[in-house]
Amino acid sequence: MKKLTTVSLALIVAAGLSACSAKTQNEASQATDAASADINATASEAVADTSNALDAAGSSIENGAAALGSATENTLDAAGREADKTGAALENGAKAVDNSM
């Protein structure tokens, strides 16, 4: 009797699962499709955000390089002017020494 009850119960459960199986598979497929669409959208947003961040970083690097170039040029110009002044002072000092002899 116990075996008959167990087998009957197993058949009822199997029949119930097979009836729900198609619906469950359809729902699982829909859930998978929704999750896949979500993943694709998130990945696309991540790619766009990364691209924008790289563009901004590139612009910052270009601006920094331009500022560094200008500062270097200004420093070299100032050093050249100071070298000219030093040269003129040395020349004047040498003339003064020659004149005093």
Side-chain angles (χ1 to χ4, degrees):
M1 181 74 172
K2 232 180 187 183
K3 285 185 181 182
L4 181 60
T5 304
T6 304
V7 170
S8 297
L9 186 58
L11 288 173
I12 291 170
V13 169
L17 285 176
S18 68
C20 294
S21 159
K23 181 180 177 190
T24 303
Q25 286 178 357
N26 188 33
E27 288 173 353
S29 176
Q30 289 174 348
T32 301
D33 290 345
S36 180
D38 239 9
I39 290 168
N40 286 337
T42 302
S44 293
E45 288 176 26
V47 167
D49 290 347
T50 302
S51 179
N52 290 338
L54 288 173
D55 287 345
S59 293
S60 292
I61 290 169
E62 288 174 1
N63 292 340
L68 180 60
S70 293
T72 302
E73 206 172 293
N74 292 341
T75 301
L76 290 174
D77 288 345
R81 286 190 301 272
E82 290 303 315
D84 288 345
K85 287 180 189 177
T86 302
L90 288 172
E91 193 174 306
N92 289 339
K95 286 180 185 175
V97 168
D98 283 345
N99 290 338
S100 68
M101 294 186 154

